[in-house]
Amino acid sequence: KDELDTILASGLVLSVVTYANSFDPRDEIAQLAALDLPEGATVWLDVEDVKLSKPELIAKITTWANAIKVAKYEPGAYIGAGVPLTSAELMALPVVRYWHSTSRVVDALGNEAAPSCGWTMIQCHPPNVTVAGVIVDVDFIQHDYRGREVHFIAAS
């Protein structure tokens, strides 16, 4: 809560992310509620370097994303190195936003992997700078090919 307050008081916007291998949507939804984050905000699941089989990964992302949708947030996927999914498999996920890491995203066969709807956020390299005393991740923000965008959290 202190970190959230510092970020918002600095005039920055915020997007929250659950780190890889933490696929429990109940835990995430409880944390979102405890922070009193607004409905409709994009919530990311980091699936970089996850050591699961493809069917297990798809099932876990699906369960997580569906629960996040029920809680009235927008599920997004942070896609980076080590994700074994093809472009078509990425698009079949029930997430509604895609964030590209600084790494090259390739499937298990070494082919470039990207959702056909495009990316709503692309991480810059180097990814972190200090703004107003807060270490921030610098990203390019854009509409995907469907006109969708990231919904950030900002001070009211």
Side-chain angles (χ1 to χ4, degrees), residues 132-155:
V134 178
I135 298 174
V136 298
D137 187 28
V138 178
D139 297 276
F140 289 110
I141 309 304
Q142 62 190 17
H143 289 95
D144 68 11
Y145 302 135
R146 295 181 177 172
R148 299 178 300 188
E149 61 190 356
V150 179
H151 292 119
F152 289 96
I153 300 155

Side-chain angles (χ1 to χ4, degrees), residues 18 22-29 43 45 47 52 54-76 92-95:
T18 294
S22 179
F23 291 100
D24 183 355
R26 294 168 302 187
D27 181 52
E28 173 129 12
I29 292 164
V43 177
L45 177 64
V47 292
L52 297 171
K54 189 183 290 194
E56 288 175 307
L57 180 59
I58 290 170
K60 287 187 177 280
I61 294 171
T62 297
T63 298
W64 178 88
N66 288 335
I68 294 297
K69 283 180 186 177
V70 168
K72 298 190 180 357
Y73 295 98
E74 294 180 343
L93 297 172
V95 300

Side-chain angles (χ1 to χ4, degrees), residues 2 24 34 44 52 69 73 79 98 112 119:
D2 291 342
D24 183 355
W44 302 98
L52 297 171
K69 283 180 186 177
Y73 295 98
I79 307 296
Y98 294 89
E112 194 76 25
W119 306 96

Side-chain angles (χ1 to χ4, degrees), residues 84-124:
L85 306 178
T86 65
S87 296
E89 289 165 335
L90 286 172
M91 266 316 290
L93 297 172
V95 300
V96 295
R97 304 291 184 272
Y98 294 89
W99 176 11
H100 190 299
S101 74
T102 59
S103 58
R104 184 166 179 249
V105 179
V106 295
D107 64 20
L109 300 175
N111 298 315
E112 194 76 25
S116 62
C117 65
W119 306 96
T120 55
M121 197 154 64
I122 300 171
Q123 190 175 38
C124 300

